[in-house]
Every structure is written in structure tokens, then in C-alpha cells.
Amino acid sequence: TLLAVQSHNNFFLYVGDTDKVDNAKQLIKSYRGVSWAKNGKIIYVANTNGNDDIWSVLPDGSQNKQLTFGDSTDFLPRVSPNGDEIFYVSDQTGENHIWKMKLDGSSQIRLTDERGGTCPSVSFDGNWIAYNLTKEETLWKINTDGTEKKPLTNIKGIRPSISPNGEMVAFIHASDDKSLNAKIVLVNFSNGEELKRIDVIGKGFSS
């Protein structure tokens, strides 16, 4: 006798006024990333043909447009501060890499080298991307034009986020003793020096 449990997670994209959250409108089924563009469009991820692709849509649900195509998995979109480009993760070469494209989906360019990259965070001046390597808990930074790739810090971590003033990066650091006790670590963006560690409430963390 075999007993099994099957679960289905349904994720939907909602939009609404900040003071009327209960009246938020359901737009479409979406997961694995959402980001606002300056022109008012919402950039999101949807799986409509067996692959995760990046789409854009207006808050009223109109002008729904697919931006990436093919057999690859494309996710975690981040719109540049000037609203001209989208940075995202794609495995179209076999490994997860950081890519960029125009807001209409054109001019798709891979930024990271053969070691890959995921979890991009774009600086507010639009010049830098912080990310972690695909198969390592190491943090790197690279210019948004794909040049000057360099280590961000020697502290292991994942899921970096650049501060609004561009001076710090916050990221998740798992305990070396494998106890699942995670911390938020703040480092100096320019030299990678540790500034502070913050205990995360509870154990473990999720993506």
C-alpha cells in the first residue's frame, strides 16, 4: 500500500490601491517574479506552454504581451531604474545566467560568464547588478553592460539586495553549522566589508 500526498500551488498576480488591498484585482496566474516599469506596465513570469516566460501587462489587465519565447526557463525579472531594460535569469544556454533585454523583449544579451548567475539586484543608479553564482553561495557584482565582473564580498550568501543609496548590500547568510539559522548580513558595496548581522526570526528561510 502506498500513501502519497500531492499538492498544487496556484499563484496569481493581483493589483490594487495600497489603502484598499481587499479590493485588489486578480489579473493573471503568475509566479517567480514581478516588477514595475516606469511606463506603468507590470513585468511578470507566467507558464503558458510548459516553460516559464516573461510577460508585460498594464494594471487593468490589457496589453498582455509575451517577451521571452523558446524552451528556456526565464524568471526573476528586474526592471532598470530608468525603465528601459529588464534584467532577468534564463537557462537558455543550459545554466542559469543573468540576461538583459529591452522593455519590449528585444536585444536579449547574456551578461554573466560560464559560472552563471541568479537572483539579480539592480542598483538605483542603474550601473551595477549584484547577484550570486548559480551553483555557489558566493556573491558577485557586474556592470549592467556586462563589464567589470568582480567578487562582491568573501562572505557566503544568496539573494542580494542593493540599498537605495547604493552604499550597502543586504543578503541571506546561512549558518556554517547547518542548523538552518539564517542571518541577514549587510556589507559595504564598494569593498565588501561586513557592517552588521541581523538575526532572522525563526529558523530557515525561503526563496
Side-chain angles (χ1 to χ4, degrees):
T1 302
L2 174 66
L3 178 65
V5 176
Q6 184 180 47
S7 91
H8 296 275
N9 292 322
N10 291 314
F11 300 89
F12 293 91
L13 177 64
Y14 285 78
V15 62
D17 296 332
T18 55
D19 58 346
K20 298 178 181 178
V21 178
D22 291 340
N23 296 326
K25 177 184 177 182
Q26 178 182 308
L27 294 184
I28 34 215
K29 190 173 182 179
S30 174
Y31 72 121
R32 302 194 79 182
V34 61
S35 184
W36 282 97
K38 285 184 70 175
N39 65 359
K41 288 189 175 182
I42 301 169
I43 310 302
Y44 70 99
V45 177
N47 188 321
T48 60
N49 59 0
N51 300 303
D52 291 341
D53 287 301
I54 298 175
W55 294 65
S56 66
V57 67
L58 286 176
D60 63 3
S62 66
Q63 296 186 32
N64 202 17
K65 179 184 178 182
Q66 186 173 349
L67 302 180
T68 62
F69 299 84
D71 297 330
S72 61
T73 297
D74 307 313
F75 59 105
L76 292 180
R78 304 286 187 263
V79 180
S80 62
N82 64 10
D84 292 338
E85 296 178 310
I86 302 171
F87 300 92
Y88 63 103
V89 180
S90 176
D91 68 353
Q92 59 186 278
T93 60
E95 294 281 354
N96 284 341
H97 283 277
I98 309 294
W99 288 67
K100 72 174 180 178
M101 61 182 170
K102 297 295 185 182
L103 203 61
D104 61 1
S106 64
S107 303
Q108 297 180 11
I109 301 172
R110 195 184 89 181
L111 299 179
T112 47
D113 62 18
E114 67 277 0
R115 301 178 72 183
T118 187
C119 298
S121 174
V122 186
S123 63
F124 280 67
D125 62 8
N127 293 328
W128 288 95
I129 300 170
Y131 66 99
N132 55 267
L133 295 185
T134 300
K135 296 182 179 180
E136 299 178 26
E137 293 183 1
T138 55
L139 298 172
W140 290 69
K141 59 184 178 181
I142 189 171
N143 276 343
T144 50
D145 63 1
T147 61
E148 289 194 58
K149 176 178 178 288
K150 61 184 70 174
L152 177 61
T153 179
N154 59 9
I155 304 171
K156 287 187 176 181
I158 56 175
R159 306 184 188 107
S161 180
I162 303 175
S163 64
N165 62 11
E167 296 178 358
M168 296 183 293
V169 178
F171 58 89
I172 297 294
H173 172 76
S175 174
D176 293 332
D177 61 10
K178 306 301 180 182
S179 64
L180 296 182
N181 290 320
K183 296 181 183 295
I184 297 174
V185 178
L186 305 180
V187 299
N188 185 294
F189 180 81
S190 61
N191 59 27
E193 291 184 359
E194 182 176 332
L195 302 173
K196 188 177 181 63
R197 293 195 179 205
I198 304 170
D199 289 325
V200 175
I201 298 175
K203 288 189 175 183
F205 53 89
S206 62
S207 58

